[in-house]
Amino acid sequence: MAVHGITPRAAAPVLGLAKRATAAATVTATAAPSASLVRSYSAPVGNAIPAAKKKYVPSRGTYPQGFSAGGVVVGVKPNNTTKPDLAMIVSDVPCAAAAVFTKNRFQAAPVTFSRELLRKVAATGQPAVRSVLINSGCANAVTGKGGLEDAAAMAKAADAACSSSSSSSAGGSGTIVMSTGVIGQRLPIQKILDGVPKVYAGLGSSHDHWLAAAKAICTTDTFPKLLSRTFTLPSAAGIEYRIAGMTKGAGMIHPNMATLLGVLATDAPLSQAALPPLLKHAIDRSFNAITIDGDTSTNDTVALLANGTAGGPAVANDPASPDYRAFQAVLTDFAAALAQLVVRDGEGATKFVTIRVTEAASAADARRIASTIARSPLVKTALYGKDANWGRILCATGYALVSEPGEPDTAASTASVAPDQTSVSFVPTDGSAELKLLVNGEPEAVDEARAAEILELEDLEILVRLGTGSEAATYWTCDFSHEYVTINGDYRT
């Protein structure tokens, strides 16, 4: 699999991911960036990308056939006159499509609109989506009936620009709509509607066009998040398929069915029925395995479009078929690489942290413990301070499965967490030996100098062995810095 841009450090298995079928996609990848690099952060000036993050922005890419992309400035925020804030991705032909959405009860108007669109598409079983239209600067969330009307108007304008051939089968629209930004404010809808013909006219298939779209969906992000890859499928070995994806997010990031915004597009011939289970499997092991601050947004949406323009036999909804398993592996690995870029751009973050919990009694317990450690403000601030305070990791492990006041206790906490069987280590990213902090409930004499060396690196892995079973889970997170408070203390201004 050719990888264009930056591929983060290879991820550990998530929720038994190592047990999944690995049938055959042909893969070759570029080398990951050196994990030994130390970076310091500063808030970007204007639209500048911090020097330490430029290595994550691809300088080239190989994009799926039959798709075009672009981004333009429409001024969703009145003071924005230079940053692209309206993005569009269009397929030459109707696509099979699926998406996962936030479970936040206050769901934004674009989420409600797009979910209903895809429900109608799924009912037809036929490719019906032509485009995705995304604005940044305003979330169009908690905006009542007017917000729903605005979302529908955005889709209608995009359909008109595309002359969407899918409008009848998709119940009146062939456009998925997404919005991101401040909650509780109405969109400057006329600016967006006037901008749709402009963004459509500037669409193209080059790397610069895709990068412009990736920039247009950013809010507090300090760099655009864009990846592309090529792959093959067993039944069509002579065909090179392509997949590309962009995502945005740096804060209000915690999963519950999806996280933040993302669009994935491929020219592989996937059936409409196959897309939802394929996407869910990938999201659970990627975008649903990251956290920055523990907050789940009102707007979270990740969509997958497949137009089949590269040819070959259609991939049916058959988990036993080699093509299905191969694409599942490709999609999951690709989504994980894209999701990890979000963590690397966490608001004010200085570290990329892998939390790996192994030897758990159940996969669900392993996931919950990993998530709890990843969200702990005390763990995250200790990491920012480069303090090997493993007691905070152990504390989070111990309360992860404890019931809330008034709720009945369960056997889960004792089944998965046994103090005299728990071990905690720092695993360096330079390939050297792990630093053991706790072994079977007994504290080790910590080499503070070695711990300081490990914590000085940008990448860090925290390994928790529970010793109570054979299940595992992995989460990716970042630290909390002073800058996180600064960013979110004046977010609306």
Side-chain angles (χ1 to χ4, degrees), residues 308-370:
T309 55
V315 179
N317 185 22
D318 178 10
S321 78
D323 281 355
Y324 185 101
R325 294 197 305 270
F327 184 76
Q328 183 181 73
V330 168
L331 180 63
T332 301
D333 292 343
F334 182 77
L338 200 56
Q340 288 173 32
L341 289 178
V342 174
V343 177
R344 291 187 180 278
D345 199 23
E347 290 173 340
T350 70
K351 293 190 181 302
F352 176 85
V353 186
T354 299
I355 310 291
R356 191 154 58 97
V357 175
T358 65
E359 301 176 13
S362 73
D365 288 352
R367 181 184 178 88
R368 186 168 173 181
I369 292 167

Side-chain angles (χ1 to χ4, degrees), residues 93 199 253 257 281 298 368 373:
V93 297
V199 69
I253 306 297
M257 196 53 166
H281 180 277
T298 55
R368 186 168 173 181
I373 297 169

Side-chain angles (χ1 to χ4, degrees), residues 21-99:
T22 55
T26 301
V27 271
T28 53
T30 58
S34 170
S36 64
L37 292 174
V38 177
R39 66 179 173 183
S40 13
Y41 282 85
S42 59
V45 178
N47 296 330
I49 298 172
K53 297 188 181 182
K54 288 182 179 178
K55 61 180 176 285
Y56 300 118
V57 182
S59 59
R60 61 189 179 90
T62 303
Y63 297 99
Q65 299 177 49
F67 283 99
S68 54
V72 298
V73 181
V74 300
V76 173
K77 285 187 174 182
N79 61 350
N80 174 40
T81 58
T82 59
K83 176 193 172 297
D85 54 2
L86 185 66
M88 195 173 191
I89 300 95
V90 175
S91 171
D92 294 344
V93 297
C95 298

Side-chain angles (χ1 to χ4, degrees), residues 130-148:
R130 281 286 305 279
S131 65
V132 181
L133 184 67
I134 310 169
N135 77 272
S136 61
C138 179
N140 191 11
V142 198
T143 46
K145 292 181 180 178
L148 285 170

Side-chain angles (χ1 to χ4, degrees), residues 19 24 44 50 53 56 80 89 256 283 312 343 379 413 420 444 480:
K19 297 179 181 178
K53 297 188 181 182
Y56 300 118
N80 174 40
I89 300 95
N256 201 340
I283 294 300
V343 177
V379 171
S413 59
D420 61 351
E444 296 288 289
F480 267 162

Side-chain angles (χ1 to χ4, degrees), residues 362-436:
S362 73
D365 288 352
R367 181 184 178 88
R368 186 168 173 181
I369 292 167
S371 172
T372 302
I373 297 169
R375 285 180 288 123
S376 166
L378 291 179
V379 171
K380 292 160 80 71
T381 50
L383 293 171
Y384 173 66
K386 303 174 185 177
D387 179 10
N389 192 342
W390 57 265
R392 294 181 176 182
I393 300 168
L394 198 66
C395 179
T397 301
Y399 70 69
L401 303 179
V402 173
S403 59
E404 293 290 325
E407 294 181 353
D409 290 329
T410 67
S413 59
T414 55
S416 264
V417 181
D420 61 351
Q421 295 174 254
T422 303
S423 301
V424 178
S425 297
F426 286 159
V427 180
T429 55
D430 59 7
S432 58
E434 68 182 90
L435 178 63
K436 296 181 179 180

Side-chain angles (χ1 to χ4, degrees), residues 91-141:
S91 171
D92 294 344
V93 297
C95 298
V100 288
F101 301 96
T102 181
K103 285 188 174 180
N104 191 309
R105 293 294 294 166
F106 288 94
Q107 296 182 353
V111 170
T112 300
F113 176 87
S114 297
R115 178 187 284 112
E116 179 61 16
L117 164 67
L118 290 174
R119 185 190 66 78
K120 293 176 180 177
V121 168
T124 70
Q126 299 299 316
V129 172
R130 281 286 305 279
S131 65
V132 181
L133 184 67
I134 310 169
N135 77 272
S136 61
C138 179
N140 191 11

